[in-house]
Amino acid sequence: MKKLLAFLLLILSATLTAAAQHITGHITDAKTGETVPFVNVVYEGAKNGVQSDVDGKYSIAFHNGKLTFSCVGYAPMTVKPKPGEVLDIKLTPNDYEFGEIKVVVKKEKYSRKNNPAVDLMRKVIEAKRNSDLHQHDFYTVQQYNKLNFALADVTPKVFEEGEFKSMPFLKEHVEVSPETGKLILPLTVEETVTEMMYRKSDDLSKNLVIGKRQEGINQLFNTGDMLTQMLNDFFTEVNLYDDNIRLLQYQFISPLSSKDAISFYHYFITDTCYIDATKCIELQFTPANYMDFGFSGSLFVTADSTYRLKRAAIGVPVHTGINFVDLMKIEQTYEMLPSGEQVLIKDDMLLVMKLVKDNFKVQAKRTTEYSGFDFSPIAESTLRFKGKTKVLADAMMKEDSFWENHRSEKLTQSESRVNTFLERVQNMKYFKPVVWVGKAFIENYVETTMDPKKGSKIDYGPVNTTIGYNDVDGLRLRASILSTANLNPHLFFKGYVAYGFGDQRWKGAGEVTYSFNKKKYLPREFPVRNLTFSYTNDVTSPSDVHMPTDKDNFFIALKWSKVDHMVYNENFKLLYDNEWENGLRMSWKLSHDKMEPTGALFYQPVQFGDHELVRPVGDHSHDIPFLTTTDFTFSVQYQPGAEYLNTKQRRILVNKEAPLFGLSHTVGVKGAWSDFTYNNTEFEIYKRWWVHSWGKIDTRLKAGAQWNKVPYPLLCAPWANTSYIREDNMFNLIKNMEFLNDRYVSFMGQWDLNGKILNRIPLIRRLKWREYFGVNALWGHLTDKNNPYLAQNANSTELYYFPSRTLVDGSYQQQTQVMNPRVPYVEAYVGIHNIFKLLWVQYVHRITYINDATSIYGDTQKWGIRFIFKATF
């Protein structure tokens, strides 16, 4: 047995040593001596290779055979390398001929006029409509998809001296990546077989998942298929026939775009070749500006009058500046159907990501195959299911024979043994505690078990709410728990207890949710169909209700403005929330609140004042101890195409291209456990606009109205962010309750240019910073019936004095001011993100409603700095 083990290790060592040998060198122009960047370096007969970097340097694993160097504008060069050789290459600029057309490639300005490559591409783009399957009344296509996630660039040294020294068995699970020639360690493998169906009469698309299997490290995480969801979002389908392609959460212009391809890309005819006995013309392309987000690569077009796309080999150039991406390759193969359409039948995508400089690379590979194209009518019963995708009940119970019939290539030995690898890792002595601590740090929740097989039934968290601070609580300690689907997949509970050392009061909350849909881990997983009852007794500020994160998040305790107008709120709430797979969401909520003002906040009817701007100094005799309301709210939201990533902290919208339309109405009736009658209506629209290579613009329009005569706690307050932490969709320099209206319209717009300007400035472009601009505006109006300062409301018991605070000298300073309906509040900001690939910093400037220190409203903060840590590609 020892001899056999020694022999296997010897074979493995030899394999590792051979794979570690590389050919390296520098590529220059033979005439000028200048560096030639982005040269394709490929072994003859191989589908994949490497590309030289911006300095013309390359490195490729040694294999027996000839190595070809090719680049747009240069004659290809083929050599036979030796193991470990330093091979410098000089490429010669060349003239290319095709038929009677001659293209002379020189160091001249690119022209689209009288350019045969551009003329050919116009014909290819024109011909793509002939391959649109949506011309048929029906079609059905079977899709096989395999997604592989692995550690990349694993070296023998790692097992001998590195992080994996204590895990020698990992050597048995590594394999050579055929795309990169380097060792990888597969961590997860997922396969799906889907029937894709389409009906033209109502433009209906449906997906029926008939087979699904998943193995690997996903089993260590309890938040659903989080890793798979992330990879699928990054690996969206690349349809070159579309004008725009969403990839890595960005929008890329397709090289076949009918609108922008010719103006965005430079095309070159470089060669003719045969693919499956079909003569093809090779066109290479690259973005006109090498710093723009775009593809580069080769298109192989049939050399006949059909101008069909036969093959595509494309990628994202390294100099584009996409974060963490070390290499991306997409290879597609097309075939003609008997009906005449040229369709995609094979789509391979490879992504190598470098998460930490010079260390720790991961590789994700997706293989997609299309077959069984059928244009027969589809039975109505087959398409009659909710949502766009349905997973058959037996999809995850398919036999091995099912997968063997649907795979064109067998799983590699390491892929087929992913679960064995995972079991061996889990049996290590310190593995479970390390994973337990790591998950608590990443997920912000602490599980009550270290055994991934059992699964945590109760989680402690959010961890970042354990210690907090506010003006009423002072130092605040909080302990929170929630149940998971491991306890019950339909019934969930959560709650917390908190203690404030400033007011020396206990607070807390409890919530019970019944989900009519079976959940994998948490009740908020899409789609929601939940009935929830909750009770809360805590201290809050009016602006807390708009925060997208937990109000006790330790980081948002850092305030730029004093927030001492707060309430002790006792709330009972019954909520039914229902989502549909098409993006429609409706909710019905019954809520009862008892609000006791605290800190600097007070409730006093203007009936007992002197009708001044503020209440009489030091007069608390007529303060109302609390305000009671009971109301019913109905809201409807429609966001077609919305897709979500489930985490323990929150549900994240991943495709922000999905537009949003929202409408809600709240009604309370005096005498029905409510002190007042009120009706509040709000409307919201969100839309993202892609501006081609100039990035994206996010716009959000909101409007609202309080229709009745009510005290100020029931008026419309703007979404004010009083923290230094940057928050989307909130005003940055409006204080808590600074403006109160019964009619309002707000607009928020942000333009992220994604480095379009900074990437063109010498030296600065090396930093790969990305700029963005934005403006937030609020138009507000307080009608006469709700203005406590008008004489007509002198004896009103329904209106309260607006919030103010006592100053050191005993006088009052007004917190709230009445807006001029003709003068909007406006703030503008400019920011830079992608600082160290993580940091966003923005400067905000307030343009209107600026007061000095002598004003009754106090000195206005005219500018501010906001920041957040957020990683993006």
Side-chain angles (χ1 to χ4, degrees), residues 439-647:
K439 290 169 67 176
F441 178 77
I442 295 172
E443 298 176 336
N444 202 25
Y445 281 83
V446 178
E447 298 179 357
T448 53
T449 179
M450 293 187 183
D451 190 346
K453 293 182 179 180
K454 293 182 179 179
S456 177
K457 296 180 180 179
I458 305 293
D459 286 354
Y460 171 85
V463 175
N464 62 8
T465 63
T466 303
I467 300 177
Y469 179 87
N470 62 61
D471 281 279
V472 173
D473 276 313
L475 176 65
R476 173 186 172 102
L477 299 181
R478 168 175 152 175
S480 313
I481 62 171
L482 58 78
S483 71
T484 75
N486 293 319
L487 182 65
N488 189 301
H490 292 282
L491 187 63
F492 300 85
F493 67 85
K494 69 177 182 179
Y496 67 84
V497 291
Y499 183 77
F501 289 86
D503 62 356
Q504 299 183 350
R505 288 177 60 162
W506 286 94
K507 295 92 176 175
E511 179 178 293
V512 179
T513 298
Y514 181 80
S515 172
F516 295 91
N517 299 331
K518 185 177 180 180
K519 298 300 180 180
K520 294 182 179 180
Y521 200 76
L522 293 173
R524 59 172 168 263
E525 294 165 6
F526 180 83
V528 165
R529 192 156 71 96
N530 297 344
L531 181 64
T532 300
F533 174 76
S534 65
Y535 171 77
T536 303
N537 193 337
D538 204 348
V539 62
T540 65
S541 70
S543 59
D544 286 340
V545 298
H546 303 307
M547 292 296 294
T549 186
D550 194 299
K551 72 178 182 65
D552 292 330
N553 186 323
F554 172 78
F555 297 102
I556 66 172
L558 302 172
K559 305 289 188 181
W560 62 268
S561 172
K562 188 175 182 62
V563 181
D564 55 356
H565 292 84
M566 304 184 75
V567 296
Y568 290 113
N569 186 29
E570 185 177 20
N571 170 265
F572 297 87
K573 181 170 64 180
L574 182 65
L575 171 68
Y576 177 68
D577 201 359
N578 196 358
E579 282 181 321
W580 287 263
E581 288 84 351
N582 63 0
L584 181 64
R585 181 174 189 172
M586 294 184 182
S587 64
W588 296 259
K589 180 179 69 174
L590 182 64
S591 183
H592 174 78
D593 292 90
K594 182 180 179 181
M595 295 173 282
E596 175 190 350
T598 187
L601 197 67
F602 60 87
Y603 297 157
Q604 185 183 103
V606 296
Q607 177 188 23
F608 303 105
D610 297 325
H611 322 310
E612 301 293 335
L613 190 60
V614 298
R615 74 171 181 175
V617 176
D619 182 8
H620 300 274
S621 59
H622 300 292
D623 284 5
I624 294 176
F626 55 81
L627 173 66
T628 302
T629 62
T630 299
D631 52 52
F632 174 78
T633 301
F634 170 73
S635 62
V636 58
Q637 177 179 297
Y638 182 54
Q639 194 165 21
E643 296 178 2
Y644 298 94
L645 175 65
N646 296 312
T647 71

Side-chain angles (χ1 to χ4, degrees), residues 52-124:
S52 64
D53 62 19
V54 70
D55 298 316
K57 297 178 180 180
Y58 73 95
S59 176
I60 188 170
F62 172 76
H63 296 293
N64 289 322
K66 294 183 178 181
L67 200 57
T68 299
F69 298 80
S70 62
C71 181
V72 174
Y74 292 88
M77 184 176 181
T78 301
V79 296
K80 188 170 183 179
K82 298 177 182 179
E85 182 179 7
V86 176
L87 186 60
D88 293 334
I89 298 298
K90 296 182 179 180
L91 295 182
T92 304
N94 205 351
D95 297 343
Y96 300 98
E97 294 188 14
F98 177 71
E100 298 180 354
I101 302 172
K102 183 177 182 179
V103 184
V104 179
V105 180
K106 300 180 180 179
K107 297 291 183 177
E108 296 178 353
K109 185 178 179 180
Y110 179 86
S111 175
R112 296 179 177 85
K113 292 183 178 180
N114 302 318
N115 187 330
V118 173
D119 294 340
L120 178 59
M121 277 307 303
R122 294 187 191 278
K123 294 177 181 178
V124 173

